[in-house]
Amino acid sequence: MEEIDIASLRVALSDGASESVLAGLWARSLVDHFVSVPPEALASGESFGREAVMVTRLWEATLGDYIARREADGRPIQWYEQPKLDRGAYATLLAISFCVPQGGDLADLRGEGRWSAAVIGDCCLFQVRDGALITAFPLAGSEDFGTSPDLLNSRNQDALLISERVAMSSGSLRQQDDIYLCTDAMAAWFLREVEHGGRPWETLRDLGTSDGLNFADFISEERASGHMRNDDATLIHVAVW
């Protein structure tokens, strides 16, 4: 487990839409940008929209590099690929920042730190404190997941439209809190376990330790049992100490 100063931590999670071309590359571009945005970018829809548009403006260079590599490899873009390139790539995005009062140490604070998060789509944030789930954002039930979540498009430079679609939230942060960021298949599994009286955070907390499965085996078992949809699964665990 890597130790990082929580006051300077930014985390982003993105899930590319498989039906769009270059979705993985677009998702990585979003993550690369949003892990370095200032905290205020995740505190207002307008600021988030401006940051998202910045990524779309950089996308043209990324796309140009991709096309050039294809040509250099003797695999130029084919006529039937061009319409998808013109429509752009799509992905969900969840970004979170943390704030600790200046000069504060969560171990010594009487007060609390804060987190702020922004989401487009169905990636989810879960916060666990004292053995209980205290935050589920932006979806709170396993039946809330659909087949057409909101997505960020690499061609969309309408900051106002993006700001109207982003979901934003914030909350307190204390020592020994656990925060889990999940893409949709894992998030739906997490909430279903909670609804059935389970404590899925205990399973996720122990992954990769001597007491738990490794991540790949865990995913395989849950898919084989039918408890998790067979889709991309990504998990980020932030343990606050």
Side-chain angles (χ1 to χ4, degrees):
M1 180 183 296
E2 184 179 359
E3 293 187 5
I4 301 173
D5 181 3
I6 193 73
S8 62
L9 182 61
R10 309 281 183 275
V11 182
L13 176 66
S14 182
D15 188 12
S18 58
E19 65 272 14
S20 67
V21 69
L22 300 183
L25 185 58
W26 172 236
R28 286 193 294 273
S29 296
L30 288 167
V31 167
D32 288 345
H33 182 80
F34 275 90
V35 293
S36 60
V37 298
E40 54 267 24
L42 307 181
S44 77
E46 293 79 4
S47 296
F48 179 88
R50 287 194 296 269
E51 294 292 341
V53 167
M54 287 180 63
V55 193
T56 66
R57 290 173 177 164
L58 295 170
W59 179 249
E60 289 303 319
T62 302
L63 183 59
D65 290 343
Y66 169 78
I67 293 172
R69 287 196 302 272
R70 287 279 300 267
E71 292 176 347
D73 292 341
R75 301 182 299 111
I77 300 299
Q78 301 299 303
W79 65 268
Y80 54 83
E81 296 177 284
Q82 193 61 51
K84 283 192 172 183
L85 289 177
D86 292 341
R87 286 194 292 272
Y90 292 83
T92 61
L93 174 69
L94 187 160
I96 183 171
S97 67
F98 301 90
C99 177
V100 175
Q102 188 172 5
D105 180 345
L106 282 178
D108 301 326
L109 289 177
R110 294 181 180 178
E112 300 171 324
R114 302 287 298 175
W115 59 263
S116 297
V119 179
I120 292 278
D122 52 11
C123 292
C124 288
L125 176 159
F126 303 113
Q127 183 179 13
V128 176
R129 177 179 295 163
D130 297 330
L133 179 66
I134 65 169
T135 303
F137 169 73
L139 304 179
S142 62
E143 299 301 320
D144 294 338
F145 293 84
T147 57
S148 301
D150 282 335
L151 300 166
L152 278 170
N153 176 249
S154 62
R155 297 286 191 183
N156 183 9
Q157 296 192 8
D158 187 339
L160 178 59
L161 179 62
I162 294 171
S163 70
E164 291 172 346
R165 293 182 175 177
V166 64
M168 314 196 84
S169 187
S170 63
S172 65
L173 189 68
R174 297 180 186 172
Q175 190 186 29
Q176 297 186 355
D177 282 359
D178 287 285
I179 292 179
Y180 299 91
L181 310 179
C182 309
T183 50
D184 58 321
M186 174 157 283
W189 168 87
F190 187 105
L191 289 169
R192 193 173 298 112
E193 290 291 305
V194 172
E195 291 161 359
H196 292 165
R199 298 165 66 88
W201 50 88
E202 294 182 353
T203 300
L204 301 185
R205 181 194 61 206
D206 293 336
L207 287 178
T209 69
S210 59
D211 297 324
L213 292 170
N214 65 50
F215 184 73
D217 289 343
F218 161 72
I219 295 296
S220 296
E221 287 190 7
E222 293 303 313
R223 286 173 177 170
S225 67
H227 294 156
M228 184 182 295
R229 190 172 72 255
N230 188 8
D231 195 2
D232 293 342
T234 303
L235 167 71
I236 298 174
H237 175 201
V238 179
V240 182
W241 297 101

